[in-house]
Short mmCIF file of all heavy atoms in Angstrom, two decimals:
data_model
loop_
_atom_site.label_atom_id
_atom_site.label_comp_id
_atom_site.label_asym_id
_atom_site.label_seq_id
_atom_site.Cartn_x
_atom_site.Cartn_y
_atom_site.Cartn_z
N ALA A 223 -10.36 -1.42 10.17
CA ALA A 223 -11.59 -0.74 9.89
C ALA A 223 -12.80 -1.38 10.70
O ALA A 223 -13.66 -0.78 11.23
CB ALA A 223 -11.91 -0.84 8.41
N ARG A 224 -12.75 -2.78 10.84
CA ARG A 224 -13.79 -3.46 11.63
C ARG A 224 -13.69 -3.05 13.03
O ARG A 224 -14.72 -2.83 13.68
CB ARG A 224 -13.60 -4.99 11.53
CG ARG A 224 -13.93 -5.59 10.18
CD ARG A 224 -15.42 -5.75 9.99
NE ARG A 224 -16.07 -6.46 11.13
CZ ARG A 224 -16.10 -7.72 11.34
NH1 ARG A 224 -15.53 -8.49 10.45
NH2 ARG A 224 -16.69 -8.21 12.37
N PHE A 225 -12.48 -2.88 13.59
CA PHE A 225 -12.31 -2.41 14.95
C PHE A 225 -12.83 -0.96 15.14
O PHE A 225 -13.62 -0.76 16.15
CB PHE A 225 -10.83 -2.42 15.33
CG PHE A 225 -10.56 -1.97 16.72
CD1 PHE A 225 -10.70 -2.71 17.79
CD2 PHE A 225 -10.04 -0.66 16.92
CE1 PHE A 225 -10.43 -2.28 19.02
CE2 PHE A 225 -9.77 -0.23 18.12
CZ PHE A 225 -10.01 -1.02 19.23
N PHE A 226 -12.61 -0.08 14.22
CA PHE A 226 -13.07 1.30 14.29
C PHE A 226 -14.60 1.31 14.22
O PHE A 226 -15.29 2.05 14.98
CB PHE A 226 -12.50 2.15 13.20
CG PHE A 226 -11.16 2.67 13.53
CD1 PHE A 226 -10.07 2.29 12.72
CD2 PHE A 226 -10.87 3.52 14.60
CE1 PHE A 226 -8.74 2.73 12.99
CE2 PHE A 226 -9.57 3.96 14.82
CZ PHE A 226 -8.57 3.56 14.06
N ALA A 227 -15.19 0.51 13.36
CA ALA A 227 -16.66 0.48 13.18
C ALA A 227 -17.32 0.02 14.55
O ALA A 227 -18.41 0.53 14.78
CB ALA A 227 -16.99 -0.42 12.05
N ARG A 228 -16.62 -0.83 15.25
CA ARG A 228 -17.29 -1.35 16.49
C ARG A 228 -17.04 -0.48 17.72
O ARG A 228 -17.86 -0.37 18.54
CB ARG A 228 -16.73 -2.76 16.76
CG ARG A 228 -17.33 -3.39 18.04
CD ARG A 228 -16.95 -4.89 18.12
NE ARG A 228 -17.62 -5.69 17.08
CZ ARG A 228 -17.64 -7.03 17.03
NH1 ARG A 228 -16.94 -7.64 17.96
NH2 ARG A 228 -18.23 -7.64 16.04
N PHE A 229 -15.85 0.16 17.78
CA PHE A 229 -15.47 0.82 18.97
C PHE A 229 -15.17 2.33 18.93
O PHE A 229 -14.89 2.90 19.92
CB PHE A 229 -14.19 0.12 19.62
CG PHE A 229 -14.39 -1.22 20.03
CD1 PHE A 229 -14.02 -2.33 19.31
CD2 PHE A 229 -15.13 -1.51 21.21
CE1 PHE A 229 -14.25 -3.60 19.68
CE2 PHE A 229 -15.36 -2.86 21.69
CZ PHE A 229 -14.93 -3.81 20.84
N HIS A 230 -15.37 2.91 17.76
CA HIS A 230 -15.11 4.34 17.68
C HIS A 230 -16.23 5.05 18.49
O HIS A 230 -17.46 4.83 18.17
CB HIS A 230 -15.19 4.79 16.21
CG HIS A 230 -14.65 6.16 16.03
ND1 HIS A 230 -15.28 7.31 16.51
CD2 HIS A 230 -13.50 6.68 15.33
CE1 HIS A 230 -14.65 8.39 16.19
NE2 HIS A 230 -13.57 7.97 15.43
N SER A 231 -15.88 5.82 19.44
CA SER A 231 -16.91 6.36 20.33
C SER A 231 -17.19 7.81 19.93
O SER A 231 -16.41 8.46 19.25
CB SER A 231 -16.40 6.45 21.82
OG SER A 231 -15.16 7.22 21.89
N GLY A 232 -18.32 8.30 20.25
CA GLY A 232 -18.78 9.73 19.98
C GLY A 232 -19.41 9.94 18.67
O GLY A 232 -20.04 11.01 18.47
N LEU A 233 -19.36 9.01 17.73
CA LEU A 233 -19.89 9.23 16.44
C LEU A 233 -20.77 8.00 16.11
O LEU A 233 -20.30 6.82 16.29
CB LEU A 233 -18.86 9.40 15.37
CG LEU A 233 -18.08 10.74 15.46
CD1 LEU A 233 -16.92 10.61 14.41
CD2 LEU A 233 -18.92 11.95 15.22
N GLU A 234 -21.95 8.22 15.69
CA GLU A 234 -22.83 7.05 15.32
C GLU A 234 -22.15 6.28 14.10
O GLU A 234 -22.18 5.04 14.13
CB GLU A 234 -24.21 7.58 14.83
CG GLU A 234 -25.20 6.37 14.57
CD GLU A 234 -26.58 6.87 14.28
OE1 GLU A 234 -26.90 8.00 14.73
OE2 GLU A 234 -27.36 6.17 13.69
N LYS A 235 -21.65 6.99 13.15
CA LYS A 235 -20.97 6.32 12.03
C LYS A 235 -19.76 7.17 11.76
O LYS A 235 -19.79 8.20 11.10
CB LYS A 235 -21.87 6.35 10.82
CG LYS A 235 -21.30 5.53 9.64
CD LYS A 235 -22.33 5.43 8.47
CE LYS A 235 -21.83 4.53 7.38
NZ LYS A 235 -22.79 4.43 6.29
N PRO A 236 -18.54 6.72 12.24
CA PRO A 236 -17.31 7.42 12.02
C PRO A 236 -16.96 7.46 10.57
O PRO A 236 -17.40 6.62 9.78
CB PRO A 236 -16.26 6.58 12.78
CG PRO A 236 -16.84 5.21 12.88
CD PRO A 236 -18.31 5.41 12.95
N THR A 237 -16.30 8.56 10.16
CA THR A 237 -15.87 8.79 8.84
C THR A 237 -14.35 8.54 8.65
O THR A 237 -13.56 9.03 9.47
CB THR A 237 -16.24 10.23 8.39
OG1 THR A 237 -17.61 10.35 8.46
CG2 THR A 237 -15.81 10.42 6.94
N ALA A 238 -14.01 7.82 7.59
CA ALA A 238 -12.62 7.61 7.28
C ALA A 238 -12.31 8.53 6.09
O ALA A 238 -12.99 8.46 5.10
CB ALA A 238 -12.30 6.18 6.91
N PHE A 239 -11.32 9.39 6.26
CA PHE A 239 -10.91 10.23 5.18
C PHE A 239 -9.73 9.61 4.47
O PHE A 239 -8.70 9.23 5.01
CB PHE A 239 -10.52 11.63 5.68
CG PHE A 239 -11.61 12.54 5.98
CD1 PHE A 239 -12.51 12.37 7.06
CD2 PHE A 239 -11.87 13.53 5.01
CE1 PHE A 239 -13.55 13.25 7.20
CE2 PHE A 239 -13.00 14.43 5.13
CZ PHE A 239 -13.91 14.26 6.26
N ILE A 240 -9.86 9.47 3.14
CA ILE A 240 -8.82 8.92 2.32
C ILE A 240 -8.43 9.93 1.29
O ILE A 240 -9.15 10.92 0.93
CB ILE A 240 -9.30 7.58 1.65
CG1 ILE A 240 -10.58 7.81 0.77
CG2 ILE A 240 -9.59 6.54 2.72
CD1 ILE A 240 -11.15 6.52 0.09
N SER A 241 -7.27 9.75 0.74
CA SER A 241 -6.76 10.72 -0.23
C SER A 241 -7.41 10.65 -1.61
O SER A 241 -7.89 9.58 -2.00
CB SER A 241 -5.22 10.57 -0.42
OG SER A 241 -4.94 9.38 -1.10
N ASN A 242 -7.49 11.80 -2.31
CA ASN A 242 -7.96 11.83 -3.64
C ASN A 242 -6.81 12.34 -4.56
O ASN A 242 -6.42 13.42 -4.51
CB ASN A 242 -9.14 12.89 -3.72
CG ASN A 242 -9.79 12.83 -5.17
OD1 ASN A 242 -9.60 11.96 -5.86
ND2 ASN A 242 -10.36 13.97 -5.45
N PRO A 243 -6.26 11.30 -5.35
CA PRO A 243 -6.77 9.88 -5.55
C PRO A 243 -6.06 8.99 -4.53
O PRO A 243 -5.18 9.42 -3.75
CB PRO A 243 -6.17 9.60 -6.89
CG PRO A 243 -4.85 10.43 -7.00
CD PRO A 243 -5.23 11.74 -6.24
N THR A 244 -6.52 7.75 -4.52
CA THR A 244 -5.85 6.75 -3.66
C THR A 244 -6.04 5.36 -4.28
O THR A 244 -6.59 5.27 -5.34
CB THR A 244 -6.49 6.84 -2.24
OG1 THR A 244 -5.67 5.95 -1.34
CG2 THR A 244 -7.90 6.24 -2.23
N TRP A 245 -5.45 4.33 -3.62
CA TRP A 245 -5.72 2.99 -4.01
C TRP A 245 -7.25 2.68 -3.95
O TRP A 245 -7.85 2.90 -2.83
CB TRP A 245 -4.95 2.02 -3.04
CG TRP A 245 -5.04 0.62 -3.22
CD1 TRP A 245 -4.82 -0.10 -4.44
CD2 TRP A 245 -5.28 -0.39 -2.26
NE1 TRP A 245 -5.01 -1.40 -4.26
CE2 TRP A 245 -5.26 -1.66 -2.94
CE3 TRP A 245 -5.60 -0.37 -0.82
CZ2 TRP A 245 -5.53 -2.82 -2.24
CZ3 TRP A 245 -5.81 -1.49 -0.23
CH2 TRP A 245 -5.76 -2.73 -0.83
N PRO A 246 -7.85 2.23 -5.01
CA PRO A 246 -9.35 2.09 -5.01
C PRO A 246 -9.91 1.19 -3.94
O PRO A 246 -11.02 1.42 -3.46
CB PRO A 246 -9.58 1.49 -6.42
CG PRO A 246 -8.45 1.95 -7.23
CD PRO A 246 -7.24 1.92 -6.33
N ASN A 247 -9.11 0.22 -3.46
CA ASN A 247 -9.66 -0.64 -2.44
C ASN A 247 -9.85 -0.03 -1.08
O ASN A 247 -10.57 -0.57 -0.24
CB ASN A 247 -8.76 -1.92 -2.37
CG ASN A 247 -9.55 -3.21 -2.02
OD1 ASN A 247 -10.75 -3.21 -2.25
ND2 ASN A 247 -8.88 -4.18 -1.46
N HIS A 248 -9.19 1.18 -0.84
CA HIS A 248 -9.43 1.85 0.38
C HIS A 248 -10.95 2.07 0.64
O HIS A 248 -11.52 1.88 1.64
CB HIS A 248 -8.73 3.15 0.42
CG HIS A 248 -7.22 3.02 0.72
ND1 HIS A 248 -6.28 3.87 0.32
CD2 HIS A 248 -6.62 2.13 1.54
CE1 HIS A 248 -5.06 3.56 0.73
NE2 HIS A 248 -5.29 2.49 1.55
N TYR A 249 -11.58 2.61 -0.45
CA TYR A 249 -12.95 2.92 -0.37
C TYR A 249 -13.81 1.62 -0.06
O TYR A 249 -14.67 1.63 0.76
CB TYR A 249 -13.47 3.58 -1.63
CG TYR A 249 -14.97 3.89 -1.73
CD1 TYR A 249 -15.44 5.11 -1.17
CD2 TYR A 249 -15.90 2.99 -2.23
CE1 TYR A 249 -16.78 5.37 -1.16
CE2 TYR A 249 -17.26 3.23 -2.18
CZ TYR A 249 -17.71 4.49 -1.65
OH TYR A 249 -19.01 4.74 -1.62
N GLN A 250 -13.52 0.57 -0.83
CA GLN A 250 -14.27 -0.64 -0.65
C GLN A 250 -14.16 -1.19 0.78
O GLN A 250 -15.13 -1.55 1.42
CB GLN A 250 -13.78 -1.77 -1.57
CG GLN A 250 -14.03 -1.36 -3.11
CD GLN A 250 -15.44 -1.45 -3.46
OE1 GLN A 250 -16.35 -1.90 -2.71
NE2 GLN A 250 -15.73 -1.03 -4.67
N ILE A 251 -12.93 -1.19 1.33
CA ILE A 251 -12.68 -1.75 2.62
C ILE A 251 -13.41 -0.97 3.68
O ILE A 251 -14.13 -1.60 4.54
CB ILE A 251 -11.15 -1.75 2.99
CG1 ILE A 251 -10.43 -2.76 2.08
CG2 ILE A 251 -10.95 -2.09 4.44
CD1 ILE A 251 -8.93 -2.60 2.04
N PHE A 252 -13.30 0.34 3.76
CA PHE A 252 -13.96 1.06 4.82
C PHE A 252 -15.49 1.18 4.72
O PHE A 252 -16.16 1.13 5.68
CB PHE A 252 -13.35 2.51 4.93
CG PHE A 252 -11.93 2.45 5.48
CD1 PHE A 252 -10.78 2.45 4.65
CD2 PHE A 252 -11.75 2.44 6.86
CE1 PHE A 252 -9.54 2.31 5.13
CE2 PHE A 252 -10.44 2.35 7.41
CZ PHE A 252 -9.34 2.33 6.57
N THR A 253 -16.02 1.22 3.51
CA THR A 253 -17.44 1.21 3.41
C THR A 253 -17.97 -0.19 3.72
O THR A 253 -19.09 -0.33 4.39
CB THR A 253 -17.90 1.63 1.99
OG1 THR A 253 -17.26 0.81 1.00
CG2 THR A 253 -17.56 3.08 1.67
N GLN A 254 -17.33 -1.27 3.33
CA GLN A 254 -17.87 -2.58 3.55
C GLN A 254 -17.84 -2.82 5.04
O GLN A 254 -18.59 -3.69 5.62
CB GLN A 254 -16.96 -3.62 2.93
CG GLN A 254 -17.09 -3.68 1.38
CD GLN A 254 -18.28 -4.35 0.90
OE1 GLN A 254 -19.06 -4.98 1.67
NE2 GLN A 254 -18.63 -4.21 -0.36
N CYS A 255 -16.96 -2.21 5.83
CA CYS A 255 -16.89 -2.37 7.28
C CYS A 255 -17.85 -1.41 8.00
O CYS A 255 -17.82 -1.49 9.25
CB CYS A 255 -15.45 -2.16 7.74
SG CYS A 255 -14.29 -3.47 7.26
N GLY A 256 -18.61 -0.60 7.30
CA GLY A 256 -19.64 0.15 7.98
C GLY A 256 -19.17 1.65 8.30
O GLY A 256 -19.99 2.28 9.01
#
Side-chain angles (χ1 to χ4, degrees):
R224 287 285 307 278
F225 177 80
F226 279 116
R228 179 170 293 188
F229 292 104
H230 195 294
S231 61
L233 295 171
E234 183 176 340
K235 187 174 184 179
T237 299
F239 276 78
I240 59 181
S241 67
N242 182 20
T244 192
W245 180 50
N247 213 21
H248 280 149
Y249 179 86
Q250 296 288 352
I251 291 168
F252 285 95
T253 55
Q254 291 285 348
C255 289

